[in-house]
Amino acid sequence: MASTDQPAIVADHLEKTFAVRHRAGRLRRHRIEVRAVDGVSFRVDPGEMVGYLGPNGAGKSTTIKMLTGILTPSGGSLATLGLDPTRHRTELAQRIGVVFGQRTQLWWDLPLADSFELLHHVYRTDRRRHEENLGSFVELLDMSSFMLTPVRQLSLGQRMRGELTAALLHDPALVVLDEPTIGLDIVSKLAVREFLVNLNRERGTTVLLTTHDLDDVEHLCQRMMIIDHGRVIHDGGVAEFKSTYGTHRTVVVDLVDAAPPLDVLGTMVTRVDGPRQRLRFDRSTTTAAQVIAGIVEEAAISDLSIEDLVRQVYDAGG
Amino acid sequence: MGDVRSMLTTYRHLVGAKIRSDWQYRTSFVRYLLSQTVVTALDLAVILVLSEVVPSLGGWNLSQVAVLYGLTTLSFGLGDLFVSQVETVATHIQLGTFDRFLLRPLPTIVQLPASEFALRRVGRSIPAIITLVVALSMAEIDWTVDRLALVPMTVVAGTIIFGAVWVVTASISFWAVGAREVANSFTYGGGFAHQHPLHVYSRWVRTLLGWILPMAFIAYVPAVHLLEAPNPLGIPSWLALTPPLVAIAAVVVARTVWRAGIRNHQSTGT
Ligand SMILES: Nc1ncnc2c1ncn2[C@@H]1O[C@H](COP(=O)(O)OP(=O)(O)OP(=O)(O)O)[C@@H](O)[C@H]1O
Ligand SMILES: [Mg+2]
């Protein structure tokens, strides 16, 4: 079956409703429905790297669980690598890699190396290919020092490198990552990002990831989808996103000491956290250079962040 | 065929991993193994004492009762060893760890018992094997080829039937997490009742356990034929061959219910 042109994921009016029982009074029970995913449609092509964003409870994890066959959709249609995830779950499992940052895929009481060996049997991978992949992942993710440590004794960053390796040893065409950088320090985060970029570039692996760290998206993804209350409220290029929603920008100023709000022409101080101040300005009337010129004598400036832009979109969508 | 073989290989590796994990907590392992052996041996002692007091239980003599006991306990013990771990699905659903099994290219019904395999449960089967062998040699059986084949066939079919009951009751968790205790009393209760000749029970219990629940086929019906024992219910001897058929039906039912459960799986938030 030629599948090179086949989309990696096609979701069409995808829905998931949970029935939640609430206690109301002593005996009565209310049954309420939570529409976790409420008519989501999108398509991901092979080789894409897509960020799937949204505030807590937006429906990101629920979408991913449907894509991977863990949950059966309540409505709509879905094809992952051309397969219906509910009906062909085990077949699909052979071809995708999944990481849930909050969960482990590894054998808790055994050395990390044992988990990889077991996965070789579970996925029935070719022995030579397995060794090849493992060798390169151990090197890229710098894991050799803790391969013989029981998983329960690994640090979060070490474990996450293990999780990534575990999800990729069988050469999946698509990897789905739910918060792969959660709780990681800067060093581990960079290692994970570099690794994913490399994976996408060298092997053409399709990547769909959720994160609350917008830096991840800026560094990794060409495209971002934003979901809120179970609906897609934005789907497009990351660069395009910045210019569409970026009529206002925020300059973050770190002063040496706490100070009263800065008074710079064309800006408004939106927040003061001790020595840190956020100055918002309209890009169409004021340039960043002008703002910077106004404050440059007294303060250092950190990088432009898209975090605030995303908050604007949440506000608009919610 | 190759598929089944490689699945067995994977099964073996998963079981090996679990045994290695458990070995890190070896004191509790040894304690459990011992307690299981003692409990099962005590069960047997109770039967022996009972049979002394009531010399023939429903017209069966001691060694005949012991054969019945051995067949049932061995089936139960093997089911306990190889399948009962499906009941951990309740905990896995609650903790959200069941999702991990769904992400692997192997049926969950194979993965779960393998990953939760507990070698210490062997403790249930050891006294059962000893009892069965001793009782069979004492029961003055007229050994023919078909009677000889009947013993392993009954044990295997019984194991499968007990296993299927376990799978069905464990499946309840997909709809009502926390129902594990209900499931448990059901399977363990069933196991105990079948260690006694069926006809000493009252009519409705007999109907429930004997015909509604296919577990009767595990030991009683084949035992009647094997032992040429008193047969007040008039069970025809050809019915002794039904356990494998019942086992197949039980597997089909268990598989259907389990699959329906997975489709209903709600996972957990996060
Ligand atoms: N198993 C479940 N049972 C009932 N409700 C659920 C379940 N899983 C999720 N929900 C609800 O569905 C909605 C979406 O949850 P989901 O986990 O998909 O959000 P998310 O976007 O991943 O959020 P987060 O960023 O916090 O991880 C929430 O309201 C959540 O409470
Ligand atoms: Mg989530």
Side-chain angles (χ1 to χ4, degrees):
Chain A
M1 196 171 69
S3 60
T4 38
D5 297 329
Q6 186 187 58
I9 304 169
V10 186
D12 189 20
H13 294 93
L14 192 59
E15 285 176 26
K16 182 68 194 181
T17 311
F18 291 108
V20 184
R21 270 179 285 275
H22 271 264
R23 259 219 186 106
R26 240 176 308 156
L27 286 172
R28 280 189 310 139
R29 286 251 174 128
H30 264 318
R31 219 178 106 100
I32 58 164
E33 297 211 319
V34 177
R35 295 184 148 267
V37 173
D38 190 10
V40 162
S41 302
F42 63 86
R43 170 192 166 117
V44 174
D45 284 317
E48 271 196 292
M49 221 166 167
V50 181
Y52 195 43
L53 308 177
N56 290 134
K60 304 180 296 295
S61 299
T62 305
T63 311
I64 285 181
K65 286 174 186 170
M66 288 192 279
L67 294 177
T68 53
I70 292 173
L71 287 173
T72 309
S74 318
S77 71
L78 181 62
T80 307
L81 298 176
L83 298 170
D84 174 346
T86 306
R87 289 181 47 208
H88 302 282
R89 195 190 70 246
T90 45
E91 198 182 333
L92 183 62
Q94 189 71 45
R95 296 168 56 195
I96 60 174
V98 187
V99 174
F100 283 100
Q102 319 252 35
R103 294 273 153 70
T104 184
Q105 285 275 10
L106 306 167
W107 278 258
W108 202 240
D109 287 321
L110 298 179
L112 185 56
D114 285 25
S115 284
F116 300 147
E117 181 61 20
L118 282 162
L119 289 168
H120 158 64
H121 294 290
V122 169
Y123 287 91
R124 300 167 211 177
T125 44
D126 175 62
R127 170 56 75 184
R128 191 190 289 165
R129 181 73 189 147
H130 173 81
E131 299 295 345
E132 223 172 80
N133 274 338
L134 187 57
S136 90
F137 295 154
V138 167
E139 197 189 313
L140 284 169
L141 290 166
D142 198 16
M143 298 194 297
S144 50
S145 64
F146 52 84
M147 285 291 278
L148 297 177
T149 310
V151 172
R152 69 182 133 84
Q153 289 171 15
L154 295 178
S155 77
L156 183 61
Q158 293 172 333
R159 207 201 78 210
M160 201 61 81
R161 294 167 204 222
E163 303 285 350
L164 277 174
T165 303
L168 294 165
L169 280 172
H170 57 288
D171 287 315
L174 167 69
V175 280
V176 184
L177 311 153
D178 196 3
E179 308 195 30
T181 57
I182 190 166
L184 299 190
D185 68 15
I186 261 307
V187 178
S188 298
K189 214 174 241 188
L190 291 180
V192 166
R193 277 183 200 158
E194 194 185 310
F195 177 76
L196 290 175
V197 167
N198 187 61
L199 181 81
N200 175 258
R201 201 175 36 219
E202 305 285 311
R203 306 189 177 204
T205 308
T206 313
V207 178
L208 178 73
L209 69 100
T210 80
T211 177
H212 289 290
D213 181 347
L214 293 154
D215 268 359
D216 285 346
V217 179
E218 275 193 277
H219 286 96
L220 291 174
C221 306
Q222 301 92 43
R223 174 178 161 201
M224 60 200 276
M225 291 191 291
I226 302 179
I227 177 174
D228 195 12
H229 298 291
R231 291 167 190 264
V232 175
I233 54 176
H234 172 86
D235 184 355
V238 173
E240 174 199 326
F241 173 80
K242 285 173 91 170
S243 64
T244 310
Y245 291 94
T247 56
H248 284 82
R249 287 198 168 168
T250 298
V251 172
V252 181
V253 186
D254 281 325
L255 303 172
V256 180
D257 287 306
L262 296 170
D263 182 18
V264 177
L265 188 69
T267 72
M268 211 180 81
V269 175
T270 52
R271 200 158 139 202
V272 179
D273 292 322
R276 171 169 294 184
Q277 301 197 3
R278 289 168 180 267
L279 280 70
R280 198 167 127 98
F281 65 97
D282 187 341
R283 260 193 337 145
S284 55
T285 57
T286 313
T287 66
Q290 286 170 331
V291 178
I292 292 161
I295 50 177
V296 76
E297 275 147 35
E298 36 198 319
I301 301 157
S302 83
D303 239 6
L304 172 69
S305 147
I306 65 165
E307 193 162 337
D308 297 276
L309 309 187
V310 170
R311 183 149 305 117
Q312 287 176 31
V313 179
Y314 289 173
D315 292 344
Chain B
M1 236 11 237
D3 220 43
V4 172
R5 251 190 66 192
S6 74
M7 202 184 281
L8 280 177
T9 310
T10 311
Y11 179 87
R12 201 162 48 75
H13 284 284
L14 289 174
V15 167
K18 181 57 171 32
I19 292 174
R20 267 178 288 143
S21 298
D22 282 349
W23 193 237
Q24 303 191 7
Y25 309 97
R26 69 199 80 138
T27 44
S28 73
F29 173 87
V30 171
R31 206 180 306 142
Y32 188 92
L33 181 65
L34 280 177
S35 70
Q36 280 298 297
T37 312
V38 169
V39 163
T40 312
L42 278 178
D43 267 5
L44 176 63
V46 168
I47 301 258
L48 293 177
V49 169
L50 265 181
S51 313
E52 279 302 312
V53 178
V54 189
S56 72
L57 211 55
W60 290 39
N61 66 30
L62 173 61
S63 53
Q64 289 173 325
V65 173
V67 167
L68 191 60
Y69 173 85
L71 285 173
T72 314
T73 331
L74 185 54
S75 294
F76 186 74
L78 293 176
D80 193 53
L81 181 63
F82 292 112
V83 190
S84 70
Q85 298 83 358
V86 290
E87 71 177 7
T88 61
V89 72
T91 317
H92 280 298
I93 292 172
Q94 264 167 337
L95 298 177
T97 43
F98 186 67
D99 294 2
R100 173 175 73 199
F101 297 107
L102 291 169
L103 291 173
R104 293 189 187 141
L106 208 63
T108 46
I109 206 69
V110 174
Q111 278 185 78
L112 197 59
S115 304
E116 294 290 343
F117 189 86
L119 188 60
R120 49 176 200 232
R121 289 183 187 240
V122 166
R124 268 187 202 284
S125 305
I126 294 169
I129 292 175
I130 295 170
T131 313
L132 186 59
V133 171
V134 172
L136 284 174
S137 59
M138 279 165 44
E140 292 166 3
I141 295 167
D142 173 19
W143 286 110
T144 57
V145 175
D146 62 325
R147 289 214 173 95
L148 204 59
L150 203 57
V151 176
M153 193 179 79
T154 304
V155 171
V156 170
T159 303
I160 292 173
I161 294 166
F162 269 122
V165 172
W166 242 303
V167 170
V168 170
T169 51
S171 303
I172 297 170
S173 313
F174 287 110
W175 287 275
V177 169
R180 177 143 85 137
E181 286 71 30
V182 178
N184 233 321
S185 66
F186 189 63
T187 27
Y188 283 101
F192 187 71
H194 277 270
Q195 290 153 12
H196 305 275
L198 197 58
H199 51 266
V200 296
Y201 287 91
S202 66
R203 200 185 135 82
W204 72 268
V205 176
R206 192 195 314 152
T207 315
L208 178 74
L209 294 180
W211 303 107
I212 295 179
L213 292 183
M215 281 197 273
F217 290 101
I218 290 174
Y220 183 73
V221 176
V224 166
H225 178 64
L226 185 69
L227 303 167
E228 295 172 287
N231 184 7
L233 298 177
I235 293 167
S237 64
W238 59 265
L239 267 182
L241 294 170
T242 46
L245 296 178
V246 174
I248 290 170
V251 165
V252 171
V253 170
R255 195 177 128 110
T256 309
V257 175
W258 183 259
R259 287 194 166 187
I262 286 189
R263 273 177 201 221
N264 196 67
H265 173 52
Q266 299 289 300
S267 186
T268 48
T270 68

